[in-house]
Amino acid sequence: MATYQEFIQQNEDRDGVRCSWNLWPSSRLEATRLVVPVSCLYTPLKERPDLPPVQYEPVLCSRANCKAVLNPLCQVDFRAKIWACNFCFQRNSRGPPTPLIFLYVVDTCLEEEDLQALKESLQMSLSLLPPNALVGLITFGRMIQIHELSCEGIAKSYVFRGTKELTPKQIQEMLGLMKPATSGQFLQPVQAVDMNLTDLLGELQRDPWPVPQGKRPLRSTGIALSIAIGLLEGTFPNTGARVMLFTGGPPTQGPGMVVGDELKTPIRSWHDIQKDNARHLKKATKYYEALANRAAVNGHSVDIYACALDQTGLLEMKCLSNLTGGHIVMGDSFNTSLFKQTFQRVFSKDYNGEFRMAFGGTLEVKTSRELKISGAIGPCVSLNTKGPCVSDNEMGVGGTCQWKICSLTPATTLAMYFEVVNQHNAPVPQGGRGAVQFVTQYQHSNTQRRIRVTTIARNWADAQSQIQHIESSFDQEASAVLMARLGVFRAFSEEGPDVLRWLDRQLIRLCQKFGQFNKDDQNSFRLSESLSLYPQFMFHLRRSPFLQVFNNSPDESSYYRHHFVRQDLTQSLIMIQPILYSYSFYGPPEPVLLDSSSILPDRILLMDTFFQLVIYHGETIAQWRKAGYQEMAEYENFKQLLQAPLDDAQEILQTRFPMPRYIDTEHGGSQARFLLSKVNPSQTHNNLYAWGQESGAPILTDDVSLQVFMDHLKKLAVSSAA
C-alpha cells in the first residue's frame, strides 16, 4: 500500500500536478468546511523525456470559437488541400508555419559602460537564436527609432516623437504596414541580417540629447513599447513573439511616464502610494495595462530587463510581463554577471537541443459534473469562455474555463481553484471519482503547434464518516503555495494588513477544524503529521517580501510577486521558507532550522531564498579567515571548510532562473541583515536574559517568534469564544 507521500510524488512526476487534497469531499458544504479550497498546482510543460510527441501537428478548425480537430467525419478535398469542419462548416486550409520573433527594444539613455555591456550581450544573443527566427530592433531615449534591417550598407530608421500617443492604426500607416509583406523592413531572419545587425548594435550611441544638471534623461519607454506592440500586431498577430525591453531607468516623458525629469522629485515610494501622493501612478498603470492586454490578445509576450541602482517603474509596467508570461529580470547594472548570465539562460536548450520556451498557449480546463472551475492564478489572462463547468464563485482570474498563456517554460506553473458543486443532500455515491482535464495548446520553439493533455482523477469521500482519510490526504506543501498565491493575488489590489488578517483567519479555521484539543486548553492542542508544517509555512509567508512591503521599494515588491506566481512548487516553497545549510568541522553540511539558534560562532551558513544566496561566516570563523589561517599548510581542513559552501552555491547559481544575487557576509557584516531578516527570531534583544552564549545569536526585532505565533494560534483555535 503506497503512502500518500509516495502517491503525491508519483502524480507530480507523471502529471506535473500537486493537489491541496488528494481525497475530495463529496459535497459543497463539506468542501467549504475544509478551509483550503480543492485546488492544484499544474505545470503544463513539465519536462518528460519519456514522452515523445506524436510526429504530426493536430489540425484544428480555424474558426476562433470552434477549434474542433480534423476527424473522419469531415469532408476533405485532397487536391486543393481544403477541409470542411463537421461542427461549424468552416472551410479550412493549412497556412505555412510561422518562425519565432524576437523584437529588441533598447534604452540608449544608459551610462557608457552599461550601454557597452548591453550591446555585447545583445550581440551574443544573436548567435543563440535559431537561424530562421525573425529579429527586429527599436532604440529609444527622447525619440524612438525603428531600424530598417533590409537595406545594405546604409543605416536607415523611422523616428517617432516620445510624447505623442499613437493608435495602432497610425503606427501601422506610418511604417507602411498597410501594404502586404512589408514587415520585412523591420523583422528579418537572423541568418540574413546577422552581420548587419551586429554592426548596427556595435555602433549604437548614447542618446544624443544633453541632460542638464539636476535632471533625469528623457526616456520615452511608453511610446517605444506601444510601437513595438503595434508593429507585431500589424505584421504577426497570433504568432509566437517576444518583445524584449532593456531599460536603465524610469519612463520620464510621454504616455506611461512614471516620474518627471526633475531629480529633486524622487520616484514614488510605498509611503507616497499610501498617502495617495504618487501623481503618475494610476495613469501610467492604466496605460501599460492597455498595452499588456493588446499584446496578450495576439499571444505576444513582453520581457522587462531593468538594470539600475534606483527604481525603473516596474510597479507600473509589471502587467506587461505578468499578463503575457514574459520574464522580469532586475539588477543593478547590465555590466554584472547577474544580468549577463540570466539573459543567456533565457535561450537555454532542453535535452533535444530545443529552446525551453513555448508561445501562444491556451489552457482549457474540463471537469466532471460534480466540480466547477473557480479560476487560475499565474502568468495568464482570461479568454472569457463561459461553459457549464465555470463557477460563479471566482478565485484569481475566474469566470472562464480557458486562459491565454502567451509564453511558457517547463517551469511555468499555474494555480487552479475548483468548487465542489454537489449538494449536501445528494452526495456523490461511494467509489466514484472526480476528474479534471487540462488541455494546453501551444507553439513549440521549433514552430510546431502542439497539444498536451493531462487528465487527473481523485476519489470522493464522505467528510462525515471519512474525515480522517481526507485529513491524511492533505498535501501541506502544495496547500501552503496555493493559499500563498491567493494571498499574493489579493495583495495586488488590497492593503497588506487586510491580506494578513485574511490569511490568519484561514489558518485559525483550519486548526479549529483539524486540531485535536480540549476546549480552552491550549496545551492540549495537537496537529496530525499531515498538517504539522503548515502553520510554520504561514508564519514565514507572513514575514516574506510577497506580503511585507517594509524595506522593499514598490519595484522590488512587484518583482518578487511576479516570480512567486509562476514558479513550481519546490521553488515557491524556497521563496516562502528559505533553506538553511550549516557547515562545520564536525561532519558533512546539514540542513538546519531557519532559526536564530542556528547562527553559531564556529559555523558557516548557506541560505537559499531563491532570490539571494547568502554565505554567512560565524564570529570565530570570520576571525580565523581574517587572520589568514586558510593560507597555512597546517590548516588545510579550514581551507576546505571555507570552500565547501562556495561549491554548493555555485551549483545553484548555474541553473536557477533568474540567477540569484550572491552575498558573502559574516558576523557583524552590513549584509548579514539578509540572513537575520529571514530566520525565526527565537532569541531577540527582548528575551536576552534567557539566552546562553552557545545557543545562537540574538536578533534586534519586534517581530514575534514562531513559538509566540504558535502559542497565539493554539489559544485562538481552542477558544470557546471563537
Side-chain angles (χ1 to χ4, degrees):
M1 171 68 190
T3 64
Y4 265 113
Q5 232 21 65
E6 289 162 357
F7 173 80
I8 287 168
Q9 198 54 57
Q10 281 163 1
N11 279 279
E12 182 179 19
D13 293 343
R14 185 186 65 226
D15 300 328
V17 172
R18 286 280 288 259
C19 293
S20 51
W21 304 93
N22 288 289
L23 267 182
W24 290 342
S26 53
S27 76
R28 170 186 278 172
L29 181 66
E30 293 300 348
T32 53
R33 288 179 176 163
L34 294 184
V35 186
V36 173
V38 170
S39 50
C40 71
L41 292 164
Y42 175 51
T43 308
L45 302 193
K46 183 180 172 64
E47 287 192 313
R48 284 269 310 268
D50 60 332
L51 200 67
V54 178
Q55 279 314 311
Y56 55 88
E57 301 182 25
V59 179
L60 303 181
C61 173
S62 58
R63 180 167 289 179
N65 56 2
C66 175
K67 294 242 165 78
V69 178
L70 173 63
N71 60 75
L73 306 175
C74 298
Q75 289 182 330
V76 182
D77 177 341
F78 288 100
R79 227 184 36 243
K81 295 196 167 143
I82 293 173
W83 61 281
C85 173
N86 61 322
F87 291 99
C88 73
F89 307 112
Q90 168 84 1
R91 287 169 68 75
N92 297 284
S93 59
R94 286 308 289 271
T98 38
L100 301 183
I101 301 162
F102 297 88
L103 179 51
Y104 295 142
V105 182
V106 181
D107 172 2
T108 53
C109 300
L110 302 175
E111 294 299 321
E112 202 53 66
E113 181 190 349
D114 239 15
L115 184 60
Q116 191 50 42
L118 176 56
K119 282 161 31 173
E120 285 165 15
S121 279
L122 295 174
Q123 287 168 323
M124 173 279 302
S125 71
L126 294 178
S127 64
L128 301 175
L129 297 177
N132 64 342
L134 299 182
V135 62
L137 176 66
I138 295 177
T139 54
F140 69 96
R142 185 173 180 172
M143 302 289 199
I144 297 99
Q145 292 182 287
I146 306 192
H147 299 268
E148 269 204 14
L149 302 179
S150 52
C151 43
E152 279 299 318
I154 172 169
K156 188 172 158 193
S157 60
Y158 286 57
V159 181
F160 290 79
R161 284 221 309 272
T163 47
K164 187 166 184 280
E165 191 155 356
L166 299 164
T167 65
K169 190 161 185 254
Q170 285 172 318
I171 292 170
Q172 286 154 22
E173 276 172 357
M174 289 171 165
L175 295 175
L177 300 180
M178 294 311 191
K179 303 192 282 292
T182 46
S183 68
Q185 296 159 271
F186 309 110
L187 295 165
Q188 283 274 327
V190 177
Q191 58 199 12
V193 294
D194 194 2
M195 296 295 292
N196 256 2
L197 189 52
T198 304
D199 295 346
L200 184 59
L201 286 168
E203 287 157 16
L204 279 188
Q205 301 292 318
R206 282 184 65 189
D207 192 50
W209 295 90
V211 181
Q213 195 72 39
K215 299 271 195 181
R216 293 184 175 91
L218 291 172
R219 239 189 211 95
S220 323
T221 320
I223 294 288
L225 283 164
S226 160
I227 290 170
I229 287 166
L231 170 64
L232 290 175
E233 247 171 359
T235 51
F236 289 98
N238 301 314
T239 298
R242 290 201 104 90
V243 172
M244 304 175 105
L245 170 69
F246 302 88
T247 181
T252 49
Q253 75 161 3
M257 76 186 264
V258 167
V259 65
D261 65 344
E262 292 281 347
L263 273 172
K264 62 173 191 279
T265 326
I267 191 168
R268 41 96 198 109
S269 63
W270 278 121
H271 183 71
D272 298 327
I273 293 167
Q274 276 144 7
K275 294 268 175 290
D276 204 15
N277 197 13
R279 56 180 282 224
H280 302 289
L281 176 71
K282 289 196 175 83
K283 197 172 170 195
T285 306
K286 196 173 160 198
Y287 176 78
Y288 292 115
E289 277 175 355
L291 284 182
N293 281 309
R294 275 171 52 198
V297 164
N298 281 292
H300 301 148
S301 70
V302 182
D303 296 346
I304 303 175
Y305 303 90
C307 288
L309 290 167
D310 195 8
Q311 300 186 77
T312 55
L314 280 184
L315 172 69
E316 291 81 357
M317 295 195 281
K318 62 176 186 279
C319 49
L320 288 163
S321 303
N322 287 355
L323 300 183
T324 65
H327 301 304
I328 297 184
V329 173
M330 188 174 163
D332 293 340
S333 145
F334 289 111
N335 202 15
T336 56
S337 64
L338 185 136
F339 165 73
K340 291 175 183 171
Q341 295 196 24
T342 299
F343 183 51
Q344 206 162 342
R345 262 168 229 177
V346 171
F347 305 100
S348 74
K349 304 231 164 83
D350 66 11
Y351 50 89
N352 287 326
E354 295 178 317
F355 276 156
R356 288 193 160 95
M357 52 172 99
F359 293 93
T362 56
L363 171 64
E364 182 179 0
V365 172
K366 301 173 191 290
T367 60
S368 53
R369 317 194 270 268
E370 316 84 359
L371 283 172
K372 287 193 172 181
I373 175 83
S374 299
I377 298 179
C380 60
V381 287
S382 165
L383 280 171
N384 295 316
T385 312
K386 301 287 180 250
C389 67
V390 177
S391 165
D392 296 333
N393 169 24
E394 291 188 23
M395 297 174 106
V397 180
T400 181
C401 57
Q402 290 189 12
W403 294 263
K404 184 106 179 196
I405 316 168
C406 301
S407 172
L408 300 112
T409 71
T412 306
T413 300
L414 289 100
M416 315 298 301
Y417 299 87
F418 301 96
E419 180 185 23
V420 176
V421 290
N422 252 26
Q423 289 311 320
H424 198 55
N425 51 9
V428 184
Q430 288 305 296
R433 307 181 85 188
V436 177
Q437 185 174 73
F438 302 100
V439 182
T440 311
Q441 307 195 21
Y442 61 96
Q443 179 186 334
H444 187 271
S445 63
N446 66 12
T447 74
Q448 269 183 348
R449 292 295 308 172
R450 287 190 178 177
I451 298 185
R452 184 183 275 202
V453 181
T454 306
T455 312
I456 62 166
R458 296 290 183 271
N459 290 344
W460 295 108
D462 170 36
Q464 315 223 281
S465 58
Q466 296 182 297
I467 193 70
Q468 255 71 45
H469 290 303
I470 292 178
E471 185 180 342
S472 317
S473 84
F474 184 65
D475 181 340
Q476 52 193 338
E477 295 181 337
S479 298
V481 176
L482 286 156
M483 290 301 275
R485 285 226 188 165
L486 282 171
V488 171
F489 187 80
R490 283 171 169 248
F492 283 130
S493 55
E494 291 178 34
E495 294 285 315
D498 296 346
V499 177
L500 292 178
R501 275 194 291 275
W502 173 79
L503 268 176
D504 288 346
R505 277 200 307 274
Q506 305 299 320
L507 177 59
I508 294 161
R509 283 179 52 210
L510 191 74
C511 290
Q512 285 167 339
K513 170 83 180 168
F514 291 104
Q516 305 291 318
F517 55 86
N518 305 324
K519 275 275 182 237
D520 294 320
D521 172 9
Q522 73 182 66
N523 295 329
S524 67
F525 183 88
R526 295 284 174 277
L527 274 177
S528 71
E529 199 183 330
S530 59
L531 287 110
S532 57
L533 295 173
Y534 185 81
Q536 152 185 338
F537 289 136
M538 290 297 119
F539 167 76
H540 288 291
L541 174 66
R542 294 176 91 264
R543 305 177 71 218
S544 72
F546 312 114
L547 300 180
Q548 296 290 351
V549 299
F550 178 70
N551 259 346
N552 285 319
S553 68
D555 276 13
E556 286 171 317
S557 298
S558 304
Y559 176 64
Y560 292 140
R561 288 168 179 173
H562 162 87
H563 283 287
F564 184 69
V565 298
R566 62 190 356 201
Q567 287 292 345
D568 63 18
L569 177 113
T570 310
Q571 307 300 340
S572 303
L573 281 178
I574 295 173
M575 294 187 203
I576 294 174
Q577 183 173 332
I579 300 177
L580 194 60
Y581 294 98
S582 176
Y583 297 77
S584 70
F585 291 115
Y586 316 114
E590 52 177 2
V592 289
L593 290 174
L594 187 64
D595 191 291
S596 54
S597 62
S598 300
I599 303 174
L600 297 169
D602 59 347
R603 300 280 199 285
I604 304 176
L605 296 175
L606 168 62
M607 180 177 70
D608 178 3
T609 74
F610 182 84
F611 298 103
Q612 296 109 7
L613 279 180
V614 182
I615 295 182
Y616 172 94
H617 300 83
E619 192 170 9
T620 315
I621 300 266
Q623 287 164 354
W624 292 348
R625 185 166 71 151
K626 275 204 186 77
Y629 287 177
Q630 64 277 19
E631 309 301 335
M632 304 178 195
E634 63 270 35
Y635 293 112
E636 179 60 33
N637 63 343
F638 180 55
K639 185 178 177 177
Q640 285 169 0
L641 178 65
L642 288 179
Q643 191 56 42
L646 300 177
D647 294 343
D648 291 348
Q650 206 45 48
E651 219 164 287
I652 299 170
L653 284 169
Q654 269 164 3
T655 52
R656 181 159 303 155
F657 182 90
M659 189 170 156
R661 183 175 293 246
Y662 176 66
I663 295 157
D664 186 319
T665 185
E666 60 186 29
H667 173 80
S670 66
Q671 294 196 301
R673 66 179 190 278
F674 285 102
L675 172 70
L676 302 180
S677 66
K678 294 287 184 202
V679 293
N680 165 36
S682 58
Q683 296 107 356
T684 69
H685 60 300
N686 295 330
N687 60 9
L688 207 48
Y689 61 87
W691 175 71
Q693 188 49 43
E694 284 314 301
S695 60
I699 287 176
L700 297 167
T701 181
D702 292 324
D703 276 4
V704 302
S705 67
L706 179 60
Q707 192 54 50
V708 174
F709 176 79
M710 286 305 293
D711 288 345
H712 278 292
L713 176 61
K714 290 173 183 173
K715 191 169 154 190
L716 289 163
V718 304
S719 155
S720 43

